[in-house]
Amino acid sequence: MDRKKFITTSVLAVSGFYFLQSNLFQAAQRTASEQKDREAPIIIVGSGYGGAVSALRLSEAGKKVVMLEMGLNWEKSGIPFSNLLKPGKSAAWLKKKSIAPFMNLFSLTPFTAALDRLDYEHINVWVGRGVGGGSIVNGGMAVTPKESYFKEIFPDLDAEKFYNFYFPLVHKELKVNVIDEQFLKDCPYYKFTRVGEEEAHKAGFKTIRVPNVYDFKYMEKEFRNEVPRSALNTEVIYGNNHGKNSLDKTYLKKALETGNLEILDLHKVDHIKLNEDKSYTLAIQQIDTAGQTIADKTFHCKKLILSAGTMGTLELLLRSHSLHNFPVHELVGKNWGNNGNFMTGRNWVKPLSGGTGAQQSTIPVGGVDNWDDPEHPFFTEIAPLPMGMDVATALYLLINRVDKKGEVTYDSAQTKLTLNWDQSHTVTMKENANYFIKKMNKANGGTRSHFLFNNGFGADICYHPLGGCVLGQATNQYGKLKEHENLYVLDGSLIPGTIGVNPFVTITAIAEFCIENLIRTNEFA
Ligand code: FAE
């Protein structure tokens, strides 16, 4: 055989082998995703922060894990995320109209989108859907709670260990970084932050820099037009096509690399049954991107981790209880809160000098820290409002203490969750918002934003649902649900309704703490 023929034959043989391998692999994957009745040692429901941390640490420990996610695997699908100015497929989970907190003028074809809004009587809760959960749609603000408040909320946790180990670990894994001050000073897309900070200082408030998981070096390149734009192209709550280190690029990517994690997207768990041998059976609907069920499936597992997010986990537990008396501890559903979320805004902000800027980055980097004020303790994000033109409007998402907690129950007749939460729960939040806006307007001019919200106050907007399966109350000290031997809850529902800052850093750190200890104590042996 001459050299040329040898090379050609070898290349053909090798590529034939790879072709066979990859076909076999794809076939195996297809069979796995098509199997209607399946046994798995460990199942995780939901691929947000709690789920992603659990998946990584278990798969690193050599455990085989199946993760079920009702939303789409956006990366695999190749479908691009839409931006704020042109909502498309990723904008509103199976809805015919966009669902942003305001200005919903856009009609849509129902699609398994990345953002969902759950409407309760007095409050609307926004959540992320898709592989990566809330990390796909959120603003990426990676805020560590104040140590004093963390100790108040979690008196039984070792705060020193959290501040010296878990929080730094989570910052590293989530790729948290901070904007360069010179870029912030120079970039026209951050005029809203500069104006917001100047005005806050003039009104006597303290401001802080807020870290983020969006890669600020990428953003600088966006600004110089060296790479495709994302934050500078109004992408955020319907997903970011570039720049953001969402969980699919961090924890989940690492977990998949172990070869021990399998993620099945568009798989919605409907309810759970407890079997006599203390294992679980899950009733699952596999859906298509129009939300139609294409297969009903039944999976069995010995160990079950619920990481479906606060509302998803509570719905699964309470629905399963209502359907067939699935055991739930009496504290499940209690101690729920909106993390003190309260939106407000100001109109007529510097209307004669370019307002807050016609072009705005979607990634917030500044906040007002009034937490130590005994009368009006709050933290507020100086939020962007990228509307493609200058609207001379400042937007704020306040985070307050939660003086009065709510409760989540299940209405069996209407087959849906009910939230015991009304205006009485947000009284002091509204007082704080009023105090803040009045002080800002007095020092700087402007009016309360009737343009954005009814009467200028968005009391019913919640991005941070927390609680209902509180650590050490409904669960043991590591997230194992009481009255169960093989069921664990690892997500935002472990935090008792408030943490004083944007919550995902804390959710991730608590999940790291729990799964480390669950593995150490041989729960998954
Ligand atoms: P989460 O991330 O919600 O993941 C739960 C997953 O479970 C989702 O992917 C669901 O689709 C899936 N799921 C639910 N039910 C089922 C079921 N029955 N079967 C299968 N799968 C299911 O859970 N937080 C910050 O710290 N900083 C921010 O800047 C920030 N901005 C936000 C902006 C927006 C618009 C929103 C909506 C939230 C924001 N948050 C932010 C909140 C943050 O994303 C949220 O607290 C976490 O994502 C919650 O993490 P979990 O692990 O609890």
Side-chain angles (χ1 to χ4, degrees):
M1 196 187 289
D2 66 19
R3 197 175 121 83
K4 197 171 156 204
K5 208 167 169 194
F6 172 76
I7 291 173
T8 318
T9 318
S10 310
V11 166
L12 280 176
V14 169
S15 40
F17 175 72
Y18 275 118
F19 177 74
L20 196 68
Q21 283 278 44
S22 76
N23 263 6
L24 281 176
F25 180 69
Q26 277 169 9
Q29 283 219 319
R30 228 182 2 253
T31 332
S33 102
E34 280 165 10
Q35 264 175 341
K36 294 212 167 131
D37 200 321
R38 243 187 110 171
E39 290 281 342
I42 306 172
I43 291 184
I44 300 176
V45 182
S47 62
Y49 293 90
V53 170
S54 314
L56 175 60
R57 300 308 171 205
L58 285 166
S59 55
E60 276 178 344
K63 309 288 172 196
K64 290 276 175 203
V65 179
V66 171
M67 178 177 262
L68 303 172
E69 168 56 55
M70 66 188 273
L72 183 64
N73 188 334
W74 286 89
E75 202 183 2
K76 216 167 86 185
S77 75
I79 299 169
F81 294 116
S82 40
N83 67 23
L84 285 172
L85 303 182
K86 209 167 169 244
K89 285 188 164 142
S90 65
W93 176 265
L94 300 175
K95 295 191 176 59
K96 289 186 176 162
K97 237 175 169 203
S98 59
I99 51 166
F102 30 75
M103 311 270 175
N104 288 308
L105 313 168
F106 303 91
S107 297
L108 298 165
T109 306
F111 194 84
T112 49
L115 184 69
D116 197 1
R117 190 186 66 202
L118 312 170
D119 298 345
Y120 302 98
E121 199 179 350
H122 297 287
I123 187 165
N124 299 324
V125 178
W126 277 262
V127 294
R129 300 247 176 264
V131 172
S135 78
I136 302 294
V137 299
N138 69 32
M141 293 173 74
V143 197
T144 307
K146 287 195 183 264
E147 193 167 344
S148 55
Y149 198 54
F150 181 81
K151 284 180 175 162
E152 188 182 323
I153 299 302
F154 289 112
D156 297 333
L157 292 181
D158 178 356
E160 213 185 307
K161 175 117 198 238
F162 268 80
Y163 284 81
N164 289 332
F165 178 68
Y166 294 112
F167 286 129
L169 168 70
V170 157
H171 284 173
K172 196 175 116 246
E173 296 287 5
L174 293 172
K175 304 197 172 158
V176 174
N177 68 151
V178 182
I179 193 167
D180 176 78
E181 286 298 319
Q182 195 59 46
F183 178 64
L184 171 58
K185 213 168 138 211
D186 297 340
C187 181
Y189 288 75
Y190 274 108
K191 185 170 185 216
F192 75 96
T193 304
R194 295 194 298 271
V195 167
E197 290 180 350
E198 264 166 46
E199 289 194 330
H201 295 157
K202 206 167 159 204
F205 290 110
K206 190 174 89 188
T207 60
I208 53 161
R209 184 67 52 243
V210 180
N212 205 289
V213 299
Y214 197 93
D215 180 348
F216 287 109
K217 287 291 160 226
Y218 185 90
M219 197 191 289
E220 290 183 22
K221 287 188 195 148
E222 283 179 54
F223 183 58
R224 298 195 299 264
N225 284 320
E226 292 167 13
V227 290
R229 288 186 165 198
S230 184
L232 305 190
N233 180 32
T234 79
E235 290 177 4
V236 68
I237 61 172
Y238 309 142
N240 284 88
N241 288 302
H242 313 278
K244 187 160 76 179
N245 283 306
S246 41
L247 292 167
D248 50 323
K249 302 189 175 64
T250 57
Y251 275 94
L252 291 172
K253 183 167 184 267
K254 273 174 99 171
L256 284 167
E257 280 163 8
T258 65
N260 287 329
L261 172 66
E262 181 188 356
I263 306 179
L264 298 178
D265 67 338
L266 298 174
H267 278 63
K268 182 176 194 286
V269 180
D270 186 75
H271 61 269
I272 314 158
K273 277 187 189 158
L274 173 65
N275 304 316
E276 270 179 16
D277 66 353
K278 316 261 187 224
S279 66
Y280 296 94
T281 299
L282 281 67
I284 300 159
Q285 287 141 11
Q286 184 179 0
I287 56 175
D288 62 17
T289 52
Q292 300 303 314
T293 301
I294 51 172
D296 284 306
K297 299 188 175 181
T298 311
F299 283 15
H300 311 271
C301 63
K302 183 69 191 162
K303 299 281 176 181
L304 178 59
I305 299 179
L306 294 185
S307 299
T310 298
M311 306 319 294
T313 290
L314 289 173
E315 186 170 10
L316 272 175
L317 289 172
L318 296 170
R319 185 173 40 235
S320 303
H321 176 70
S322 138
L323 282 176
H324 38 71
N325 243 347
F326 185 80
V328 289
H329 188 264
E330 59 181 19
L331 290 177
V332 168
K334 303 247 169 38
N335 234 336
W336 185 92
N338 68 346
N339 199 26
N341 283 187
F342 198 99
M343 265 205 193
T344 186
R346 294 165 49 236
N347 296 144
W348 302 107
V349 175
K350 300 200 178 297
L352 302 177
S353 54
T356 43
Q359 295 172 313
Q360 300 189 8
S361 166
T362 54
I363 297 301
V365 294
V368 172
D369 180 1
N370 206 49
W371 198 259
D372 294 331
D373 176 347
E375 268 182 62
H376 296 289
F378 65 86
F379 164 80
T380 181
E381 159 187 345
I382 298 171
L385 189 61
M387 299 187 75
M389 58 180 166
D390 177 37
V391 286
T393 294
L395 176 67
Y396 308 99
L397 172 61
L398 267 75
I399 297 179
N400 300 272
R401 285 172 170 270
V402 179
D403 303 330
K404 187 179 170 191
K405 300 282 176 63
E407 186 180 344
V408 181
T409 52
Y410 191 76
D411 181 336
S412 312
Q414 294 201 52
T415 62
K416 58 174 196 182
L417 282 187
T418 314
L419 247 174
N420 171 5
W421 185 268
D422 58 29
Q423 276 110 349
S424 71
H425 293 84
T426 54
V427 175
T428 49
M429 303 175 198
K430 188 172 178 184
E431 281 167 13
N432 286 350
N434 197 25
Y435 165 81
F436 173 63
I437 295 294
K438 271 197 170 155
K439 223 173 147 185
M440 290 291 276
N441 287 344
K442 195 164 169 213
N444 303 290
T447 60
R448 196 160 77 212
S449 182
H450 295 265
F451 161 66
L452 291 178
F453 309 104
N454 181 19
N455 207 19
F457 292 129
D460 56 352
I461 294 171
C462 174
Y463 280 0
H464 305 160
L466 297 173
C469 270
V470 172
L471 189 68
Q473 296 179 15
T475 74
N476 78 355
Q477 78 271 37
Y478 304 139
K480 179 169 171 168
L481 199 68
K482 287 186 179 163
E483 298 187 12
H484 287 266
E485 283 185 25
N486 296 307
L487 177 54
Y488 312 85
V489 171
L490 292 178
D491 61 19
S493 65
L494 292 174
I495 300 176
T498 164
I499 196 60
V501 291
N502 313 59
F504 74 61
V505 165
T506 312
I507 296 172
T508 313
I510 301 256
E512 287 277 16
F513 159 76
C514 288
I515 198 71
E516 179 191 291
N517 283 289
L518 291 169
I519 293 172
R520 182 181 59 77
T521 53
N522 292 324
E523 286 286 336
F524 298 95

